[in-house]
């Protein structure tokens, strides 16, 4: 079950000069058994991810997104930023599971997402190689073992 924080409306901020715009995300994307659709009514964005475990629909007034990507033809990612400036990343897997993080907890190196090493054990083995992992998110309730640390990109 995906739980998302409520999104709050705030005035739209203009893009700063010299900052390149990110390429538009398709309004509809098929990624293996997963499908993403988005629509906009006024200032409200609606998006749905459909897959083996059903449909997950979200709505919000966004500063950017939702942006959909397909990794290795199987893993669907969704990124968005609320008007309050909170950025989120969700990855949906063909086995019906999903993981989500605040965007500040993940990195991107080129076209690859770098997730906290703790995520690796929550991802089914066939999809783990689609990501790199970092050891920056050390939490007492979810510690990083020495074996895990050896698998971190940084």
């Amino acid at each position: 079950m995906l739980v998302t924080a409520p999104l709050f409306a705030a005035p739209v901020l203009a893009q700063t000069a010299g900052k390149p715009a990110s390429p538009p995300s398709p309004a509809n994307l098929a990624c293996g058994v997963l499908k993403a659709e988005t629509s906009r009514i006024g200032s409200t964005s609606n998006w749905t991810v459909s897959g083996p475990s059903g449909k997950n629909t979200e709505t919000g007034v966004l500063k950017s997104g939702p942006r959909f990507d397909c990794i290795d033809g199987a893993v669907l990612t969704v990124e968005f930023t609320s008007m309050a400036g909170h950025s989120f990343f969700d990855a949906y897997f063909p086995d019906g599971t999903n993981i989500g993080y605040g965007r500040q907890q993940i990195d991107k190196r080129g076209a690859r997402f770098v997730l906290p090493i703790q995520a690796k054990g929550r991802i089914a083995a066939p999809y783990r190689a689609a990501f790199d992992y970092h050891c920056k998110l050390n939490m007492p309730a979810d510690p990083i073992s020495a074996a895990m640390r050896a698998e971190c990109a940084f």
Side-chain angles (χ1 to χ4, degrees):
M1 173 195 280
L2 174 68
V3 178
T4 359
L7 303 176
F8 301 100
V12 175
L13 300 176
Q15 182 175 344
T16 57
K19 182 179 177 185
S22 58
S25 178
N28 299 302
L29 178 69
C31 182
V33 299
L34 300 163
K35 292 180 180 147
E37 300 174 344
T38 187
S39 64
R40 189 177 177 112
I41 300 171
S43 62
T44 302
S45 295
N46 304 288
W47 63 101
T48 300
V49 175
S50 305
S53 61
K55 288 185 176 185
N56 180 46
T57 300
E58 297 192 49
T59 300
V61 177
L62 304 179
K63 185 174 180 180
S64 68
R67 178 175 172 72
F68 305 125
D69 282 308
C70 183
I71 300 173
D72 292 346
V75 180
L76 177 71
T77 64
V78 181
E79 296 178 271
F80 63 93
T81 302
S82 71
M83 287 303 289
H86 304 289
S87 296
F88 298 93
F89 167 89
D90 291 304
Y92 294 85
F93 298 90
D95 63 2
T97 62
N98 68 293
I99 58 171
Y101 288 97
R103 186 65 174 92
Q104 71 280 4
Q105 296 171 325
I106 66 165
D107 289 310
K108 199 162 184 184
R109 287 180 142 180
R112 289 183 64 87
F113 287 101
V114 185
L115 305 179
I117 189 67
Q118 295 92 328
K120 189 173 186 179
R122 296 177 180 100
I123 298 171
Y127 313 112
R128 290 178 185 161
F131 301 96
D132 291 326
Y133 302 92
H134 67 71
C135 286
K136 299 187 307 182
L137 189 62
N138 198 7
M139 301 176 295
D142 202 358
I144 301 171
S145 68
M148 290 167 68
R149 195 166 293 284
E151 298 181 50
C152 291
F154 55 93

